PDB file of all heavy atoms in Angstrom:
ATOM      1  N   LEU A1054      11.236 -15.685   7.472  1.00 76.00           N
ATOM      2  CA  LEU A1054      11.116 -15.448   6.032  1.00 76.00           C
ATOM      3  C   LEU A1054      12.491 -15.161   5.430  1.00 76.00           C
ATOM      4  O   LEU A1054      12.822 -15.663   4.350  1.00 76.00           O
ATOM      5  CB  LEU A1054      10.177 -14.260   5.779  1.00 76.00           C
ATOM      6  CG  LEU A1054       9.984 -13.847   4.313  1.00 76.00           C
ATOM      7  CD1 LEU A1054       9.386 -14.986   3.508  1.00 76.00           C
ATOM      8  CD2 LEU A1054       9.099 -12.611   4.234  1.00 76.00           C
ATOM      9  N   ARG A1077      26.903 -18.402 -15.451  1.00 79.00           N
ATOM     10  CA  ARG A1077      26.099 -19.623 -15.265  1.00 79.00           C
ATOM     11  C   ARG A1077      24.813 -19.327 -14.480  1.00 79.00           C
ATOM     12  O   ARG A1077      23.747 -19.872 -14.788  1.00 79.00           O
ATOM     13  CB  ARG A1077      26.930 -20.678 -14.540  1.00 79.00           C
ATOM     14  CG  ARG A1077      28.109 -21.216 -15.344  1.00 79.00           C
ATOM     15  CD  ARG A1077      28.677 -22.489 -14.739  1.00 79.00           C
ATOM     16  NE  ARG A1077      29.242 -22.248 -13.407  1.00 79.00           N
ATOM     17  CZ  ARG A1077      30.502 -21.867 -13.191  1.00 79.00           C
ATOM     18  NH1 ARG A1077      31.314 -21.676 -14.233  1.00 79.00           N
ATOM     19  NH2 ARG A1077      30.947 -21.677 -11.974  1.00 79.00           N
ATOM     20  N   ASP A1080      22.314 -17.625 -16.778  1.00 78.00           N
ATOM     21  CA  ASP A1080      21.709 -18.599 -17.684  1.00 78.00           C
ATOM     22  C   ASP A1080      20.722 -19.491 -16.951  1.00 78.00           C
ATOM     23  O   ASP A1080      19.627 -19.792 -17.475  1.00 78.00           O
ATOM     24  CB  ASP A1080      22.794 -19.452 -18.333  1.00 78.00           C
ATOM     25  CG  ASP A1080      23.622 -18.664 -19.343  1.00 78.00           C
ATOM     26  OD1 ASP A1080      23.126 -17.648 -19.835  1.00 78.00           O
ATOM     27  OD2 ASP A1080      24.779 -19.073 -19.611  1.00 78.00           O
ATOM     28  N   PRO A1087       9.065 -19.454 -15.012  1.00 81.00           N
ATOM     29  CA  PRO A1087       8.445 -18.625 -13.961  1.00 81.00           C
ATOM     30  C   PRO A1087       9.253 -18.621 -12.663  1.00 81.00           C
ATOM     31  O   PRO A1087       9.244 -17.641 -11.925  1.00 81.00           O
ATOM     32  CB  PRO A1087       7.075 -19.298 -13.753  1.00 81.00           C
ATOM     33  CG  PRO A1087       6.800 -19.984 -15.045  1.00 81.00           C
ATOM     34  CD  PRO A1087       8.125 -20.452 -15.558  1.00 81.00           C
ATOM     35  N   PHE A1090      11.656 -15.715 -12.402  1.00 84.00           N
ATOM     36  CA  PHE A1090      11.085 -14.450 -11.958  1.00 84.00           C
ATOM     37  C   PHE A1090      10.997 -14.408 -10.435  1.00 84.00           C
ATOM     38  O   PHE A1090      11.273 -13.379  -9.809  1.00 84.00           O
ATOM     39  CB  PHE A1090       9.704 -14.248 -12.570  1.00 84.00           C
ATOM     40  CG  PHE A1090       9.717 -14.018 -14.051  1.00 84.00           C
ATOM     41  CD1 PHE A1090       9.421 -15.048 -14.923  1.00 84.00           C
ATOM     42  CD2 PHE A1090      10.060 -12.769 -14.578  1.00 84.00           C
ATOM     43  CE1 PHE A1090       9.440 -14.838 -16.291  1.00 84.00           C
ATOM     44  CE2 PHE A1090      10.075 -12.560 -15.946  1.00 84.00           C
ATOM     45  CZ  PHE A1090       9.768 -13.596 -16.804  1.00 84.00           C
ATOM     46  N   LEU A1091      10.597 -15.514  -9.821  1.00 84.00           N
ATOM     47  CA  LEU A1091      10.479 -15.577  -8.365  1.00 84.00           C
ATOM     48  C   LEU A1091      11.845 -15.455  -7.706  1.00 84.00           C
ATOM     49  O   LEU A1091      11.980 -14.813  -6.653  1.00 84.00           O
ATOM     50  CB  LEU A1091       9.818 -16.891  -7.949  1.00 84.00           C
ATOM     51  CG  LEU A1091       8.363 -17.070  -8.380  1.00 84.00           C
ATOM     52  CD1 LEU A1091       7.839 -18.431  -7.942  1.00 84.00           C
ATOM     53  CD2 LEU A1091       7.482 -15.955  -7.818  1.00 84.00           C
ATOM     54  N   LEU A1165       8.530  17.190   2.696  1.00 84.00           N
ATOM     55  CA  LEU A1165       8.951  15.797   2.779  1.00 84.00           C
ATOM     56  C   LEU A1165       8.642  15.039   1.495  1.00 84.00           C
ATOM     57  O   LEU A1165       9.466  14.233   1.029  1.00 84.00           O
ATOM     58  CB  LEU A1165       8.261  15.109   3.974  1.00 84.00           C
ATOM     59  CG  LEU A1165       8.651  13.647   4.194  1.00 84.00           C
ATOM     60  CD1 LEU A1165      10.151  13.514   4.464  1.00 84.00           C
ATOM     61  CD2 LEU A1165       7.870  13.048   5.356  1.00 84.00           C
ATOM     62  N   PRO A1188       8.982   5.478   6.861  1.00 79.00           N
ATOM     63  CA  PRO A1188       7.838   4.978   7.634  1.00 79.00           C
ATOM     64  C   PRO A1188       7.789   5.510   9.061  1.00 79.00           C
ATOM     65  O   PRO A1188       6.738   5.398   9.716  1.00 79.00           O
ATOM     66  CB  PRO A1188       8.055   3.454   7.634  1.00 79.00           C
ATOM     67  CG  PRO A1188       8.832   3.192   6.386  1.00 79.00           C
ATOM     68  CD  PRO A1188       9.760   4.367   6.263  1.00 79.00           C
ATOM     69  N   ARG A1193       1.918   8.715   4.677  1.00 87.00           N
ATOM     70  CA  ARG A1193       1.104   7.501   4.481  1.00 87.00           C
ATOM     71  C   ARG A1193       1.811   6.531   3.553  1.00 87.00           C
ATOM     72  O   ARG A1193       2.568   6.933   2.673  1.00 87.00           O
ATOM     73  CB  ARG A1193      -0.255   7.878   3.893  1.00 87.00           C
ATOM     74  CG  ARG A1193      -1.151   8.690   4.843  1.00 87.00           C
ATOM     75  CD  ARG A1193      -2.487   8.978   4.211  1.00 87.00           C
ATOM     76  NE  ARG A1193      -2.345   9.774   2.990  1.00 87.00           N
ATOM     77  CZ  ARG A1193      -3.369  10.150   2.239  1.00 87.00           C
ATOM     78  NH1 ARG A1193      -4.596   9.782   2.560  1.00 87.00           N
ATOM     79  NH2 ARG A1193      -3.171  10.877   1.151  1.00 87.00           N
ATOM     80  N   TYR A1214      18.665  -1.244 -19.089  1.00 79.00           N
ATOM     81  CA  TYR A1214      18.930  -0.957 -20.509  1.00 79.00           C
ATOM     82  C   TYR A1214      20.434  -1.049 -20.785  1.00 79.00           C
ATOM     83  O   TYR A1214      20.866  -1.630 -21.794  1.00 79.00           O
ATOM     84  CB  TYR A1214      18.404   0.436 -20.861  1.00 79.00           C
ATOM     85  CG  TYR A1214      18.546   0.773 -22.326  1.00 79.00           C
ATOM     86  CD1 TYR A1214      17.609   0.338 -23.248  1.00 79.00           C
ATOM     87  CD2 TYR A1214      19.603   1.563 -22.788  1.00 79.00           C
ATOM     88  CE1 TYR A1214      17.721   0.649 -24.593  1.00 79.00           C
ATOM     89  CE2 TYR A1214      19.731   1.879 -24.120  1.00 79.00           C
ATOM     90  CZ  TYR A1214      18.782   1.437 -25.021  1.00 79.00           C
ATOM     91  OH  TYR A1214      18.905   1.741 -26.363  1.00 79.00           O
ATOM     92  N   GLY A1218      22.512  -3.769 -23.007  1.00 73.00           N
ATOM     93  CA  GLY A1218      23.401  -3.325 -24.076  1.00 73.00           C
ATOM     94  C   GLY A1218      24.740  -4.052 -24.039  1.00 73.00           C
ATOM     95  O   GLY A1218      25.307  -4.372 -25.092  1.00 73.00           O
ATOM     96  N   THR A1225      30.098   0.461 -25.910  1.00 73.00           N
ATOM     97  CA  THR A1225      30.344   1.898 -25.833  1.00 73.00           C
ATOM     98  C   THR A1225      29.127   2.641 -25.318  1.00 73.00           C
ATOM     99  O   THR A1225      29.215   3.521 -24.450  1.00 73.00           O
ATOM    100  CB  THR A1225      30.724   2.454 -27.231  1.00 73.00           C
ATOM    101  OG1 THR A1225      31.885   1.762 -27.700  1.00 73.00           O
ATOM    102  CG2 THR A1225      31.003   3.942 -27.153  1.00 73.00           C
ATOM    103  N   ALA A1232      28.592   6.149 -17.223  1.00 74.00           N
ATOM    104  CA  ALA A1232      29.397   7.322 -16.897  1.00 74.00           C
ATOM    105  C   ALA A1232      28.518   8.516 -16.568  1.00 74.00           C
ATOM    106  O   ALA A1232      28.772   9.258 -15.609  1.00 74.00           O
ATOM    107  CB  ALA A1232      30.336   7.653 -18.058  1.00 74.00           C
ATOM    108  N   VAL A1233      27.466   8.717 -17.351  1.00 71.00           N
ATOM    109  CA  VAL A1233      26.543   9.825 -17.113  1.00 71.00           C
ATOM    110  C   VAL A1233      25.853   9.662 -15.768  1.00 71.00           C
ATOM    111  O   VAL A1233      25.733  10.631 -14.980  1.00 71.00           O
ATOM    112  CB  VAL A1233      25.501   9.925 -18.242  1.00 71.00           C
ATOM    113  CG1 VAL A1233      24.410  10.937 -17.869  1.00 71.00           C
ATOM    114  CG2 VAL A1233      26.167  10.321 -19.552  1.00 71.00           C
TER     115      VAL A1233
END
Side-chain angles (χ1 to χ4, degrees):
L1054 178 61
R1077 293 194 296 272
D1080 289 338
F1090 292 100
L1091 295 178
L1165 182 61
R1193 293 182 298 179
Y1214 184 82
T1225 302
V1233 171

